[in-house]
Amino acid sequence: MTAVDLHPVRASDALPGAVWAALGTVMDPELDEPITDLGFVASHHLEPTGDGRVDVEVHLRLPTSFCAPNFAYLIAADAQDALTALDELRDVAVWLDDHHDSTKINSGLAAGGGYRGTFEHEADDSLDELRMIFRRKAHTAAMERSCAALLRTSSWTVADLHTLTLADLPSGRTTEALVRRRRDLGFATDPAALVMVDDHGRPVSEDQVPLRLRFARTTRISVEGNAHFCRGLLATRYPGAEEDQAASAYDPAVPSSLPPAPPSPSHESEH
Amino acid sequence: MYESNGEKYFVVDAHIALWDARPENQRNIHGKQFIDCFYDYHRNLSPASELWSYEQYLYYADRLMKDLFTDGYVDHAIFQPAYLGEFYHRGFGQTEEAWALTQAHPDKLTYNHSYDPRNGEQGLDQLHLDAERFGLKGIKLYTAEWHGDSRGYKLTDPWSVKYLEACRSLGIKNIHVHKGPTIRPLDRDAFDVADVDGVASDFTDLNFVVEHVGLPRLEDFCWIATQEPNVYGGLAVAIPFMHTRPRYFAQIIGELLYWIGEDRILFSSDYALWTPKWLVETFVDFQIPEDMQPEYSAITTDQRKKILGLNAAALYDIPVPAHLQVQAAPDEVPVASPAPDLRVPVA
């Protein structure tokens, strides 16, 4: 199975790239990586309609048939939304293959019933809250990556981090990723904004910075580790899928040292 | 017992199963999907030499004793069954077979049973009968289990609390909770470990063992376990990463040792997802890579001994020969492993 199954397209030469780019904006909420990098796009098929527009059919696949259905639904619905936003496309069909809830999710997407319409009594809530949980985790991990890189490559120390602003971070992918995740959560993104903030965007006090950073590291390791697991499982389930996977943006070519840890965890809960 | 470089380790495998996933026991397509998912875990994270055939993986009662005790260095193993009655005609975990083995080898095997609080009053009566029949010290809960229209429950649900109260009065003190990857339920978030926090605070006399150390919510698990002294982490599914992703495993075990310490981490093969032999051998030889020290302290022999068996033996009152115990220095107080210092490495 290859990632790109392109039917000859006359409507627009640029369209296949646009389709791929649109799918590349869809993130696995838990792994915080694009589904195109993860190899979750099994195929996409384009069919000119004769009126200058194009029908598209996209098949998605996941590492196991037991991937949590709420995540599966989020991914499939986001893919449909991203493609529907392209003016050149007429009919958009997104299919989730080989999942225990494939039938439910596929018919739900086709009918446009939304998450609650799809799962009825099983879905007490909308998915907004779940999405926010993972946006916060993605931000926490991105914040840790930025701080850890700075500690490794500059004279900044953990003790100084409470004064660190976005302007102090070097330009590059790590900082861009952090800013993007702050924007997702509605946090300040101006150059003077403090980097070390909590899950609600509030500055972390000087004495709490070491613990916040230490916990953020655990969050990052958790997210990255889960991505290792899911990438491996996908390749086990679909031999050859590893060729459809792009290296993780978070996997440095040369393993780098972790940032130092502050003293033992405080046992005073802040939640 | 496992011996390496003159050190002897008492091994308790805190999470094993005897399942029957053969087609004749599969109730529907989900029964096949479920075992296929397990088999993918097995294929993805096992060394090539340890791979089983699919047929063997479906059912393996004839080799269980050999894999664990003859070849696997295990001194004592604990059944942690999952029922999964919506997927399998006779259930996934095989109660009678596992219980028969336990009776034949009481020094080697402990049988934990499972319950589902959604069975209400009737299930509560059954729990009393099961506790007496099996002499239960522990229970395995699968909060993501399907049950009619329900795809899961929380430990803090009212009926669940009633069952935990029953556990308390019945002397079932070890509550193993599956909090692992890629299993539903739906909006009741399968990975959320917050309900463990809730009941651990209310049932301080029970021990809550979070299987799979909360992965993929390691950070949430660590945070909870740091607050609640009666929360433990089982290494099932995490420990095979030693083979495929050793640096990732180093980070996981480093995080666990930092947040919850060496006394609350339990070795588990999750047999037959993986066989214990290679896991024990690899873990005893495993060390944090040098370039990741001192961010993570090196793992000590005593820590390995505790994780591999002594911690679980303490929870289950399993006798350990004196020469296999950790010899604590007279003035040594058991504490969480020392946290790494604050020094910033020079780039």
Side-chain angles (χ1 to χ4, degrees):
Chain A
M1 205 175 286
T2 57
V4 183
D5 170 24
L6 291 178
H7 198 272
V9 176
R10 289 192 303 126
S12 161
D13 285 341
L15 191 55
V19 167
W20 194 249
L23 291 171
T25 66
V26 179
M27 307 290 275
D28 178 298
E30 181 147 51
L31 309 182
D32 192 31
E33 293 188 54
I35 60 171
T36 46
D37 285 2
L38 291 164
F40 290 177
V41 180
S43 64
H44 65 265
H45 183 84
L46 302 165
E47 192 75 46
T49 60
D51 66 356
R53 298 176 81 203
V54 175
D55 292 341
V56 63
E57 181 176 323
V58 170
H59 285 261
L60 303 178
R61 61 186 175 189
L62 294 172
T64 85
S65 64
F66 275 91
C67 288
N70 40 16
F71 300 151
Y73 182 85
L74 269 178
I75 290 171
D78 285 357
Q80 193 177 52
D81 288 347
L83 293 172
T84 305
L86 295 179
D87 290 337
E88 304 92 321
L89 298 180
R90 191 185 66 175
D91 290 339
V92 172
V94 174
W95 296 95
L96 180 64
D97 294 343
D98 304 339
H99 189 268
H100 62 69
D101 273 333
S102 279
T103 309
K104 241 179 194 177
I105 290 174
N106 290 334
S107 55
L109 284 176
Y115 177 67
R116 297 189 66 168
T118 302
F119 286 101
E120 299 171 344
H121 67 276
E122 297 176 53
D124 295 336
D125 307 305
S126 78
L127 290 175
D128 297 343
E129 192 185 341
L130 190 70
R131 196 190 288 276
M132 285 305 283
I133 290 172
F134 290 105
R135 282 189 177 167
R136 291 190 188 111
K137 283 176 189 282
H139 163 260
T140 300
M143 182 180 73
E144 196 273 348
R145 283 185 197 104
S146 289
C147 291
L150 194 72
L151 293 173
R152 274 199 304 274
T153 57
S154 74
S155 58
W156 282 86
T157 70
V158 174
D160 306 325
L161 287 182
H162 65 287
T163 66
L164 181 70
T165 64
L166 289 176
D168 295 322
L169 293 174
S171 59
R173 203 162 55 179
T174 307
T175 303
E176 286 165 17
L178 174 63
V179 171
R180 194 163 60 244
R181 279 155 188 77
R182 289 179 69 114
R183 202 173 289 130
D184 286 345
L185 288 166
F187 296 174
T189 55
D190 60 285
L194 290 170
V195 171
M196 289 297 298
V197 294
D198 66 13
D199 280 348
H200 304 283
R202 296 178 297 230
V204 177
S205 65
E206 181 175 356
D207 61 321
Q208 284 294 311
V209 162
L211 181 63
R212 170 75 175 142
L213 186 64
R214 190 62 186 70
F215 187 65
R217 183 204 285 180
T218 314
T219 303
R220 173 179 62 77
I221 287 166
S222 190
V223 172
E224 290 178 4
N226 200 34
H228 287 311
F229 193 43
C230 290
R231 283 166 170 267
L233 281 176
L234 188 82
T236 299
R237 191 175 187 211
Y238 300 104
E242 63 275 14
E243 291 163 22
D244 299 332
Q245 292 176 336
S248 167
Y250 310 133
D251 248 349
V254 180
S256 57
S257 178
L258 293 165
S264 294
S266 158
H267 287 251
E268 290 166 25
S269 172
E270 64 175 16
H271 74 173
Chain B
M1 189 201 65
Y2 179 61
E3 183 168 1
S4 174
N5 287 326
E7 293 287 348
K8 292 177 175 154
Y9 301 83
F10 186 80
V11 179
V12 177
D13 194 335
H15 193 303
I16 65 159
L18 176 49
W19 66 62
D20 183 353
R22 288 176 291 187
E24 56 267 33
N25 193 27
Q26 292 173 11
R27 194 168 159 181
N28 46 38
I29 181 67
H30 302 312
K32 177 171 181 355
Q33 289 171 333
F34 190 84
I35 191 63
D36 286 357
C37 172
F38 271 26
Y39 191 56
D40 284 348
Y41 287 8
H42 171 76
R43 288 195 296 154
N44 180 231
L45 293 180
S46 301
S49 63
E50 309 301 325
L51 287 178
W52 292 11
S53 72
Y54 182 69
E55 294 303 314
Q56 177 71 92
Y57 202 74
L58 296 177
Y59 183 69
Y60 49 87
D62 57 329
R63 59 181 293 176
L64 181 143
M65 295 302 292
K66 181 174 188 294
D67 284 337
L68 296 176
F69 302 104
T70 310
D71 298 340
Y73 316 116
V74 174
D75 295 285
H76 200 101
I78 303 166
F79 283 110
Q80 307 285 4
Y83 178 57
L84 304 182
E86 299 277 343
F87 297 171
Y88 297 95
H89 294 298
R90 289 173 283 107
F92 185 59
Q94 297 304 296
T95 301
E96 297 307 327
E97 277 182 286
W99 176 237
L101 280 174
T102 305
Q103 283 182 302
H105 307 278
D107 55 327
K108 286 189 166 65
L109 287 164
T110 291
Y111 182 72
N112 281 2
H113 200 51
S114 58
Y115 66 65
D116 188 330
R118 290 165 297 187
N119 288 327
E121 204 68 60
Q122 192 184 351
L124 211 47
D125 294 342
Q126 187 64 46
L127 175 59
H128 282 78
L129 296 174
D130 290 338
E132 186 177 1
R133 179 187 175 200
F134 302 124
L136 295 178
K137 289 182 180 172
I139 204 87
K140 172 70 186 295
L141 302 180
Y142 212 80
T143 56
E145 176 136 12
W146 293 17
H147 189 278
D149 283 347
S150 162
R151 303 232 190 143
Y153 66 93
K154 284 192 182 300
L155 296 174
T156 46
D157 288 348
W159 271 106
S160 170
V161 170
K162 283 189 189 178
Y163 277 60
L164 290 172
E165 285 165 352
C167 286
R168 175 190 269 158
S169 66
L170 292 166
I172 303 173
K173 62 173 185 169
N174 299 313
I175 313 297
H176 297 251
V177 191
H178 173 101
K179 290 288 180 186
T182 63
I183 303 291
R184 44 179 46 198
L186 211 63
D187 54 320
R188 285 170 189 266
D189 182 353
F191 309 142
D192 189 357
V193 294
D195 57 341
V196 177
D197 198 5
V199 291
S201 303
D202 291 343
F203 292 90
T204 51
D205 47 348
L206 299 180
N207 303 310
F208 292 88
V209 184
V210 175
E211 300 297 347
H212 322 308
V213 290
L215 288 174
R217 303 287 178 80
L218 179 68
E219 75 280 25
D220 293 343
F221 164 71
C222 286
W223 190 255
I224 291 167
T226 301
Q227 327 280 334
E228 310 290 346
N230 54 333
V231 172
Y232 294 70
L235 283 176
V237 182
I239 198 165
F241 279 108
M242 287 186 302
H243 168 62
T244 50
R245 303 269 184 183
R247 294 184 67 85
Y248 170 51
F249 179 72
Q251 291 180 318
I252 292 180
I253 197 78
E255 294 296 319
L256 290 171
L257 287 169
Y258 177 84
W259 289 101
I260 71 172
E262 64 199 39
D263 296 320
R264 290 195 276 147
I265 306 172
L266 307 182
F267 167 73
S268 304
S269 68
D270 220 347
Y271 181 83
L273 279 159
W274 296 280
T275 41
K277 180 174 188 289
W278 71 273
L279 292 171
V280 171
E281 290 169 349
T282 310
F283 184 68
V284 164
D285 289 339
F286 185 85
Q287 189 49 280
I288 305 284
E290 271 184 32
D291 69 305
M292 294 168 78
Q293 301 178 29
E295 292 88 356
Y296 295 122
S297 306
I299 303 173
T300 67
T301 300
D302 280 359
Q303 287 176 335
R304 291 195 180 87
K305 289 182 178 180
K306 289 180 172 186
I307 293 168
L308 271 177
L310 301 180
N311 292 340
L315 286 183
Y316 279 86
D317 306 316
I318 297 165
V320 178
H323 71 286
L324 297 178
Q325 292 280 9
V326 168
Q327 306 302 322
D331 58 346
E332 190 183 341
V333 181
V335 289
S337 52
D341 66 29
L342 255 170
R343 285 172 301 169
V344 178
V346 178

